[in-house]
Amino acid sequence: MEQNVCIYMSQLAEKMRKAGKDSRADLYRVLYNRLHRFPKGGTLTFGRVTAAFVDDFAQSLRDEGLAVNTVNSYVGGFRALYNRAGRTGLFEIPEKSPFAHLRLRREITVKRALSSQAVCELAQMQPSASTGLRRSLDYFLFCFMACGMPFVDLAHLTRDNIVGKDIVYHRQKTGVRVQVSITPGMRMIIKRYARKDSRYLFPILPEDGGSRSYYKYQLVRYNADLKIIGNYLRHPVALTSYVVRHTWATEALRQNTPIAVISQALGHTSEQSTRFYLDSLDQSIMKRANRKITKVVNDLVTGKA
């Protein structure tokens, strides 16, 4: 009987985790989730992995709106796992690999980062709270001060994620553990939206977590607000929820922050050239780096500037 691909992937991810290869384990976890819900009409075995299946899987990722580089990362990881399983004799390797026709070329992405001047402009804005723009702006600034935290992770933050003077969470997308120091500006925004009757730090999701469609609705609202806010800047920009990650990372690099620190703060899984250095990285390095990067914004948010 042929080996189930998802079962093999799950077992391999656990093995990688025990070996300390967290980045590879995280990638297999994401692949497992996507492949587990992709096959139609039966269990996915290695014998069912054909060139047509690979193309359909890649197309399904594109249909989800994933970027070219993200699709390439997932498909490349799937290919590596397939080849590994074949070398261990789990199935008879076909004469021509189902991945042989692929040409995974990295796409040079358009720069989306804001200038430091634009970020400071945002921190000084005072939109009316009645329009919802104040809340969306606060979310954006909080995400920036939290090392470029994604909106989906912001939405899922609960009181339990506050550990001492830090926020510790696992990324919704990859499961990677991220720890960031709570800056004064972040603490002020947390207090602004604190609700005694809710476990969540921010009023984005209902107490039961809500459905996937409900979260997407909130994300659409958030991005609609950011689009309006972006037009208020002296030099208008297409502001979106993803801009904050590019902005924090770009500013971190400009401040001569080590690439390894940036990779850890963003919770990445596929930057092998940087993740290699992360095994024994001191958390204090990241905390000092984020204090330096977000100092001006924190001062503006807290009124110290």
Side-chain angles (χ1 to χ4, degrees):
M1 182 176 180
E2 288 190 349
Q3 173 75 50
N4 180 305
V5 174
C6 290
I7 291 178
Y8 174 73
M9 189 177 300
S10 180
Q11 294 171 341
L12 187 57
E14 185 178 353
K15 181 179 179 181
M16 292 290 178
R17 188 79 66 191
K18 291 180 178 178
K21 299 179 180 179
D22 290 330
S23 60
R24 182 58 55 176
D26 290 334
L27 176 59
Y28 288 155
R29 175 179 173 175
V30 175
L31 275 172
Y32 173 90
N33 291 335
R34 294 189 177 279
L35 283 170
H36 192 263
R37 65 174 183 258
F38 172 70
K40 300 177 180 179
T43 301
L44 176 61
T45 61
F46 283 102
R48 287 189 60 201
V49 181
T50 62
F53 178 91
V54 171
D55 286 341
D56 288 345
F57 176 61
Q59 187 58 50
S60 74
L61 297 176
R62 297 187 194 100
D63 291 342
E64 287 186 43
L66 299 181
V68 170
N69 294 337
T70 302
V71 173
N72 288 350
S73 177
Y74 291 162
V75 176
F78 188 17
R79 177 174 59 189
L81 178 134
Y82 178 90
N83 292 337
R84 182 185 182 121
R87 289 194 299 269
T88 59
L90 288 180
F91 63 94
E92 185 176 347
I93 303 176
E95 184 175 339
K96 185 175 182 180
S97 167
F99 296 89
H101 64 293
L102 292 180
R103 296 293 181 271
L104 304 178
R105 295 186 177 87
R106 183 169 181 81
E107 181 180 66
I108 300 176
T109 56
V110 178
K111 184 178 180 181
R112 307 183 194 181
L114 299 177
S115 66
S116 56
Q117 292 84 357
V119 177
C120 290
E121 236 185 290
L122 289 173
Q124 296 177 82
M125 281 186 183
Q126 294 294 330
S128 172
S130 62
T131 63
L133 297 182
R134 173 76 260 179
R135 184 170 59 184
S136 293
L137 178 57
D138 281 342
Y139 291 166
F140 187 91
L141 294 172
F142 184 94
C143 288
F144 175 79
M145 291 182 285
C147 301
M149 179 184 290
F151 180 71
V152 65
D153 295 321
L154 174 83
H156 286 87
L157 288 180
T158 69
R159 299 172 188 270
D160 292 338
N161 290 120
I162 298 180
V163 182
K165 297 182 179 180
D166 296 340
I167 284 181
V168 181
Y169 69 99
H170 288 81
R171 287 199 59 198
Q172 294 288 318
K173 180 179 178 181
T174 62
V176 173
R177 182 180 182 275
V178 180
Q179 181 173 346
V180 297
S181 181
I182 301 175
T183 69
M186 288 168 63
R187 193 172 300 281
M188 177 177 286
I189 292 174
I190 289 174
K191 289 181 178 179
R192 183 174 294 162
Y193 297 98
R195 297 165 295 164
K196 294 181 179 180
D197 60 342
S198 176
R199 64 192 178 98
Y200 288 109
L201 295 187
F202 300 103
I204 299 172
L205 301 177
E207 286 307 293
D208 63 359
S211 63
R212 178 65 180 171
S213 60
Y214 184 86
Y215 164 73
K216 287 184 176 180
Y217 166 72
Q218 292 286 48
L219 178 61
V220 169
R221 285 184 58 189
Y222 178 55
N223 277 317
D225 286 345
L226 292 183
K227 183 177 180 180
I228 296 172
I229 292 169
N231 287 328
Y232 287 158
L233 289 170
R234 186 176 293 107
H235 300 290
V237 298
L239 201 60
T240 69
S241 58
Y242 203 70
V243 167
V244 70
R245 289 175 67 72
H246 282 271
T247 300
W248 186 89
T250 300
E251 184 63 16
L253 191 62
R254 191 180 72 81
Q255 298 275 5
N256 298 315
T257 306
I259 297 296
V261 177
I262 298 172
S263 181
Q264 185 183 31
L266 294 176
H268 283 165
T269 62
S270 58
E271 284 74 11
Q272 296 181 5
S273 62
T274 56
R275 295 289 292 183
F276 175 80
Y277 300 97
L278 302 183
D279 290 342
S280 59
L281 186 64
D282 189 345
Q283 280 289 331
S284 64
I285 297 177
M286 189 168 69
K287 292 178 181 179
R288 289 197 299 271
N290 193 43
R291 280 197 296 270
K292 181 179 180 183
I293 294 163
T294 65
K295 183 181 185 305
V296 175
V297 174
N298 269 285
D299 288 347
L300 291 169
V301 169
T302 58
K304 294 180 179 180

